[in-house]
Amino acid sequence: MLEIEHLTKRFGGNTAVNSVSTSIEKGKINAIIGPNGAGKTTFFNLISGVHKPSEGTITFNGRDITTLRTDEVARLGIARTFQSTTLFDTASVLDNLIVGHRLRTRSGLIDVLFGSARLKEEERVCREKAREALDFVGIAHLENRVAGDITQEERKRVAFALALATAPKLLLLDEPAGGVNPDETLGLAELIRKMVKHELTVCLIEHKMDMIMSLADKILVLSYGEKIAEGTPAEVRANPAVIDAYLGSDHADL
Ligand SMILES: Nc1ncnc2c1ncn2[C@@H]1O[C@H](COP(=O)(O)OP(=O)(O)OP(=O)(O)O)[C@@H](O)[C@H]1O
Ligand SMILES: [Mg+2]
């Protein structure tokens, strides 16, 4: 579904992603792991158009998307969540979804605010889609709650709903279970499985090894920007290069 060839991103003298070639497979749960600073989020930023690659190509369903803008990538069917869930804390959950949808699919703020004469109809459709997404992620009952008042796990679900509201084919999740407790992590893993059952392809970054090992079909391991291993959870867990990369890091429990 997504083919990545020699993807490289340099920030000044620092190579955050270094000639990574891989693919994200359709209908599967693809995972990316690696120590802090390994380049995982940068990898997502390159795919989603936040950063332009220094080198390499990204092909989505046969189409070269290497240099597209974030809104163009979103409209082609790739959605993402962010490592920290930024919401408008004084607005309702539903309004967060409506505004978030516009921000993801329009190219500029003016366009978001004064978009079109068809605004009313668009708003209705948008509201409907937002409600569907909230229902799908299991928080329909929170639609009128002020976003600042909901729990971290509920915020994660709002982030999923934000991504789903653009009807993506591929969903990139950056630490979907970051900062939530073990029980809640199981609930989020269940939700990720449900998304894949509904024809979505998922790629997630996560530090929680138990979650990754039980959830992922395929794991890509990054260390210092380079791909050091790729394979099934069992293959990756037994790979000496992976064990080395994790020794001495904060996430040694593979
Ligand atoms: N916008 C940027 N400008 C300069 N350097 C950056 C930028 N974004 C990331 N980097 C650098 O790129 C490297 C990889 O960072 P990245 O955030 O991709 O790591 P990560 O694997 O997501 O780490 P973590 O697990 O802590 O989230 C780091 O050295 C980081 O400082
Ligand atoms: Mg990161």
Side-chain angles (χ1 to χ4, degrees):
M1 175 173 239
L2 196 75
E3 298 292 332
I4 310 265
E5 295 282 348
H6 299 293
L7 196 63
T8 298
K9 180 64 184 180
R10 294 183 208 94
F11 296 108
N14 178 11
T15 306
V17 173
N18 195 356
S19 197
V20 172
S21 297
T22 186
S23 59
I24 291 178
E25 293 181 30
K26 190 172 176 177
K28 300 228 159 118
I29 300 182
N30 302 260
I32 303 175
I33 64 169
N36 292 114
K40 304 180 297 296
T41 297
T42 303
F43 191 77
F44 273 9
N45 283 336
L46 292 170
I47 296 170
S48 57
V50 173
H51 295 316
K52 299 278 169 277
S54 306
E55 279 163 39
T57 56
I58 308 167
T59 311
F60 180 55
N61 286 332
R63 175 168 176 175
D64 186 345
I65 63 161
T66 312
T67 58
L68 296 187
R69 291 190 315 260
T70 52
D71 57 301
E72 293 170 326
V73 174
R75 264 184 265 123
L76 283 178
I78 301 178
R80 70 174 293 187
T81 66
F82 293 85
Q83 204 162 337
S84 56
T85 310
T86 312
L87 301 176
F88 298 103
D89 280 340
T90 54
S92 73
V93 166
L94 188 63
D95 284 344
N96 264 277
L97 282 185
I98 291 166
V99 173
H101 180 264
R102 294 222 183 99
L103 285 171
R104 279 164 178 70
T105 53
R106 302 296 176 79
S107 52
L109 189 61
I110 298 296
D111 198 25
V112 168
L113 295 174
F114 307 107
S116 78
R118 292 171 289 131
L119 211 60
K120 271 252 154 59
E121 169 61 9
E122 233 178 77
E123 169 126 11
R124 193 190 61 74
V125 173
C126 206
R127 193 167 287 266
E128 208 169 280
K129 289 238 157 58
R131 288 213 169 96
E132 273 171 31
L134 281 177
D135 189 43
F136 187 87
V137 302
I139 52 169
H141 58 289
L142 297 179
E143 85 167 50
N144 293 318
R145 287 276 291 284
V146 173
D149 286 349
I150 64 176
T151 68
Q152 175 64 11
E153 185 253 358
E154 288 165 347
R155 289 176 84 86
K156 291 290 186 188
R157 287 179 188 262
V158 173
F160 284 21
L162 273 164
L164 290 175
T166 58
K169 300 180 187 82
L170 171 62
L171 190 53
L172 310 174
L173 303 169
D174 197 346
E175 299 199 25
V180 312
N181 74 36
D183 272 354
E184 292 170 339
T185 297
L186 290 177
L188 292 175
E190 219 26 71
L191 179 52
I192 291 169
R193 285 201 187 90
K194 178 177 161 187
M195 295 195 287
V196 173
K197 273 196 203 106
H198 283 75
E199 312 282 302
L200 262 162
T201 299
V202 168
C203 181
L204 75 154
I205 294 170
E206 196 41 80
H207 283 299
K208 293 188 169 171
M209 287 305 156
D210 289 351
M211 181 193 196
I212 287 295
M213 292 297 165
S214 67
L215 199 59
D217 296 303
K218 175 185 167 184
I219 303 176
L220 163 69
V221 190
L222 296 179
S223 179
Y224 295 106
E226 292 185 21
K227 168 167 130 177
I228 59 164
E230 189 167 38
T232 64
E235 285 164 356
V236 159
R237 193 193 263 131
N239 187 315
V242 178
I243 297 164
D244 274 356
Y246 273 87
L247 286 177
S249 86
D250 294 340
H251 309 284
D253 43 336
L254 267 179

